[in-house]
Amino acid sequence: MPDSKLFILVTILLGISVCMSYSLSSYAVIYYNYGQFHFAYRELFAVVIGIIIMWSLSHFNVDKYLFAFGIAICFISFLIIILLPFLPDSYATSAGGAKRWLRLPNISLAPLEFFKIGYIIFVAWSFSRKFSGANTLSSAQQLYIVIPHLFVFLVISIIISALQNDLGQLILLALVFITMLVCAGGRFSLFTMALGIISVMGTILIIISPHRIKRVREWWVNVENIIGSYLPNFSILGDSVDIGGQVQGASYAIYHGGHFGMGVGNSLVKLGYLGEIHTDMVLAGITEELGFFGLFVIVAIFFLIVFRIFKIAFRLKTNFYHLFCVGVVSLLSFSFIINSFGEVGLIPIKGMAVPFLSYGGSSMLASCICIGLILSLSKQVDFK
């Protein structure tokens, strides 16, 4: 039987996402002149489809089809990413200066979200084969294995950076890749080399992009404000930099929520003071309405989801499946961490969905596909 506890925990978060999409989208509904339940209905539709996907994939024959499924979804989604810039606006939706969504009847899908699933399956399959008996491999042998993967990642990074203009997803993929490399048995020297190369690539992509530099400057304003409370004369960039309004709005929402929140529907920052509150900034909106207690419950549920996946991963006998579970955990966890750290100002804000909570069908459906595949793998595990 699939792991029912994992299924229930994910379903709870999906249910919370529907409620918060309705509550936090009130200003967007008025601003765009939508119906009262516009976002709630669309989120509910995505949640229902996601639950059906999880249930269906829990009966998936992973032993026979997992690798083929991964290659197919990786190839198809990557092909769509390449084709998106050449499609007319009626078939592609733009954001952040690039066409990122494929527009279908009544729904838009972000192919990059599904590409990440295929990439994780491919890396898990490759590492499980090439790092078999990793303890007997020398550093040179392991380096020989990793170099082609780094080259592939470099090609992927160039294409995604050029066509999707989305550095945040590249950073996320890099963190997932490095985590899987370590768990596959890669030596510490490989870890530092991969981290160094990816860090250099990320720095270059930031320096050559004005809007990314702007985000870093906005983040530093908030850092200077914190340091300035202890050292009033501390300043590096001066007063001419952009004010980090998103982080300040999120910080106010978190502070205003207190211990138990203002109550569902009573958020103030959602009234035009904090943009994207039902999508990328959903944790701030949840904290204002449900308080630190509500946020703690959500974090606890997410932690239990991660724990259940790890429990499955370390009881699987096949290294391919084990690494796939590690990749999914890394994908979900780093997405959550990057978003939450950005909202509180610990790192520059990067538009990234919170798994199972942010409004938006692509991220949710992709996460549900991952969970569905893990539910299928859980049938091979004895939890007694």
Side-chain angles (χ1 to χ4, degrees):
M1 290 291 292
D3 185 4
S4 58
K5 292 181 180 179
L6 176 60
F7 179 83
I8 292 172
L9 289 168
V10 173
T11 303
I12 291 173
L13 284 189
L14 294 177
I16 293 173
S17 75
V18 176
C19 297
M20 299 314 299
S21 292
Y22 171 68
S23 174
L24 297 176
S25 63
S26 56
Y27 178 79
V29 164
I30 296 172
Y31 183 83
Y32 292 107
N33 196 28
Y34 290 148
Q36 181 181 358
F37 297 98
H38 173 83
F39 292 101
Y41 283 153
R42 294 169 71 88
E43 186 75 351
L44 178 61
F45 175 77
V47 164
V48 171
I49 297 299
I51 292 174
I52 293 174
I53 287 175
M54 284 194 297
W55 180 84
S56 300
L57 287 178
S58 67
H59 302 284
F60 186 71
N61 188 340
V62 289
D63 292 327
K64 191 174 183 180
Y65 298 114
L66 180 59
F67 175 70
F69 175 80
I71 294 300
I73 196 172
C74 186
F75 176 78
I76 293 172
S77 56
F78 197 65
L79 180 62
I80 296 174
I81 289 173
I82 295 174
L83 293 177
L84 272 179
F86 306 101
L87 295 179
D89 293 341
S90 57
Y91 292 98
T93 304
S94 299
K99 293 181 177 179
R100 297 180 180 175
W101 285 273
L102 176 65
R103 184 177 295 176
L104 302 173
N106 300 318
I107 190 173
S108 295
L109 295 176
L112 185 55
E113 295 291 344
F114 302 96
F115 170 78
K116 291 184 289 187
I117 303 173
Y119 182 75
I120 289 173
I121 293 174
F122 168 75
V123 173
W125 171 79
S126 180
F127 280 176
S128 66
R129 293 169 61 249
K130 296 182 178 180
F131 277 94
S132 179
N135 293 333
T136 62
L137 297 175
S138 65
S139 297
Q141 289 174 317
Q142 291 197 0
L143 180 62
Y144 180 77
I145 293 172
V146 172
I147 285 178
H149 283 277
L150 291 176
F151 176 77
V152 170
F153 187 84
L154 176 62
V155 173
I156 292 172
S157 299
I158 293 172
I159 293 176
I160 292 178
S161 177
L163 301 182
Q164 295 278 290
N165 195 27
D166 197 340
L167 179 60
Q169 297 294 350
L170 289 178
I171 293 174
L172 176 61
L173 275 178
L175 293 172
V176 171
F177 174 82
I178 291 173
T179 303
M180 295 177 71
L181 174 62
V182 172
C183 292
R187 295 178 181 271
F188 183 75
S189 58
L190 290 183
F191 164 77
T192 55
M193 182 192 70
L195 183 62
I197 293 174
I198 292 170
S199 298
V200 170
M201 288 170 52
T203 303
I204 293 173
L205 291 174
I206 291 174
I207 292 174
I208 64 176
S209 174
H211 85 274
R212 291 174 187 146
I213 293 178
K214 181 176 181 292
R215 284 193 174 184
V216 173
R217 288 162 65 91
E218 289 177 345
W219 164 72
W220 184 250
V221 167
N222 293 282
V223 174
E224 284 194 345
N225 289 338
I226 296 173
I227 299 176
S229 62
Y230 301 96
L231 301 172
N233 296 324
F234 178 84
S235 179
I236 294 179
L237 298 180
D239 299 327
S240 61
V241 298
D242 304 290
I243 297 175
Q246 283 287 85
V247 173
Q248 291 178 351
S251 300
Y252 174 79
I254 294 170
Y255 173 79
H256 193 230
H259 292 95
F260 299 101
M262 304 299 297
V264 176
N266 295 325
S267 168
L268 295 179
V269 297
K270 70 180 181 181
L271 303 177
Y273 298 103
L274 181 60
E276 302 176 338
I277 190 170
H278 60 297
T279 56
D280 298 338
M281 310 298 288
V282 67
L283 291 177
I286 288 174
T287 307
E288 186 181 22
E289 296 200 345
L290 302 180
F292 280 106
F293 178 77
L295 180 64
F296 173 79
V297 170
I298 287 173
V299 172
I301 294 173
F302 191 87
F303 175 81
L304 288 174
I305 291 172
V306 170
F307 173 77
R308 296 300 300 182
I309 298 175
F310 267 131
K311 192 172 184 179
I312 294 169
F314 287 106
R315 295 189 180 191
L316 289 168
K317 297 179 181 179
T318 305
N319 198 31
F320 173 26
Y321 301 155
H322 166 77
L323 286 176
F324 170 70
C325 290
V326 169
V328 171
V329 166
S330 303
L331 181 69
L332 298 177
S333 300
F334 284 126
S335 297
F336 193 97
I337 290 170
I338 291 172
N339 181 285
S340 57
F341 279 20
E343 291 192 39
V344 299
L346 292 178
I347 60 175
I349 285 182
K350 184 66 196 84
M352 188 171 294
V354 182
F356 310 115
L357 287 173
S358 291
Y359 171 82
S362 296
S363 173
M364 181 173 296
L365 293 178
S367 298
C368 288
I369 290 174
C370 291
I371 296 299
L373 293 173
I374 289 176
L375 288 173
S376 181
L377 291 172
S378 70
K379 294 185 296 184
Q380 303 180 11
V381 172
D382 184 7
F383 289 102
K384 295 180 180 179

